[in-house]
Amino acid sequence: STWGAQNMAHVVVNAENQGDFDASRPSYWRAENHNQDNYLRAEQWSPDVEEFQLSPLITTIPIDHSTGTALLRCREDIKLFAAIHDDQQQHPPAPQHTSFFQSITSKFRKVREQQQQQPANTSSLPKIEALQDPEFLDAHFDSMWKEWPLMPTKSIWLRSIESLIDRLDAVKNIPTG
């Protein structure tokens, strides 16, 4: 089959480009695009690009809502603790009379005030160095595997992530020809 512009999706990301929205083109945000037959889904378009793929054994792993939520929450958890780690590396610890929560809250207020004063520009956001640090990431994942089972909501997220890991491991172990 051929690939044409009629199959391209237009995703409205923010209010600035909503004027470019073409109602005749498919949009991810419409309910009609969330059924099994929609061309926006990888399992529908992957046969069209199969000849360009490196491996004939590429498999699509479906991710349900709970697993998607778990992955996003895991990512946000890592980003939060990485930002805290970076901040602790750059600044001395808060005085004893200030609680950890008060210290973090005041720092987030300062960052929010700075962001409100600056135009919305991703290049002005601070880079989180710990996200590139394998030792930090390993330590954080180790603590996640120990702490998340103790929290009701996070234990559900962890089970979803473990289920995804099992599905990925099953695909990884498919014998190659």
Side-chain angles (χ1 to χ4, degrees):
S1 69
T2 61
W3 178 259
Q6 70 274 9
N7 295 324
M8 298 293 289
H10 180 77
V11 177
V12 176
V13 178
N14 60 36
E16 291 176 13
N17 69 355
Q18 282 185 348
D20 299 339
F21 183 72
D22 180 359
S24 66
R25 296 175 73 182
S27 169
Y28 177 82
W29 305 111
R30 292 193 190 136
E32 67 202 29
N33 296 320
H34 294 281
N35 62 42
Q36 295 289 45
D37 299 328
N38 192 280
Y39 198 77
L40 294 176
R41 298 177 65 96
E43 60 267 25
Q44 297 301 326
W45 57 257
S46 60
D48 293 340
V49 296
E50 192 171 313
E51 65 186 280
F52 303 107
Q53 294 174 343
L54 297 176
S55 171
L57 295 176
I58 292 186
T59 304
T60 303
I61 306 291
I63 296 178
D64 59 13
H65 183 267
S66 63
T67 305
T69 300
L71 290 172
L72 289 174
R73 298 298 180 220
C74 178
R75 177 178 168 260
E76 292 304 314
D77 188 76
I78 292 168
K79 284 172 54 179
L80 171 67
F81 284 99
I84 292 170
H85 178 268
D86 285 356
D87 188 63
Q88 289 174 343
Q89 297 297 320
Q90 294 172 1
H91 301 93
Q96 294 295 3
H97 65 276
T98 305
S99 74
F100 174 75
F101 179 75
Q102 290 170 330
S103 171
I104 293 299
T105 304
S106 73
K107 288 175 185 172
F108 280 120
R109 271 194 207 115
K110 289 176 187 174
V111 168
R112 188 181 319 131
E113 289 169 4
Q114 289 173 351
Q115 289 174 345
Q116 288 172 348
Q117 293 171 357
Q118 296 175 353
N121 182 355
T122 56
S123 64
S124 67
L125 296 176
K127 184 175 180 184
I128 302 174
E129 300 292 331
L131 289 174
Q132 312 303 322
D133 181 2
E135 290 178 7
F136 167 80
L137 293 172
D138 286 345
H140 186 73
F141 283 123
D142 288 344
S143 70
M144 242 177 58
W145 251 244
K146 293 174 188 169
E147 295 170 7
W148 278 29
L150 305 175
M151 301 173 224
T153 303
K154 289 185 176 185
S155 67
I156 295 169
W157 297 340
L158 187 60
R159 283 194 301 272
S160 293
I161 291 172
E162 288 171 339
S163 170
L164 177 62
I165 290 170
D166 291 342
R167 288 184 279 159
L168 291 169
D169 284 342
V171 170
K172 179 178 73 174
N173 295 325
I174 294 175
T176 58

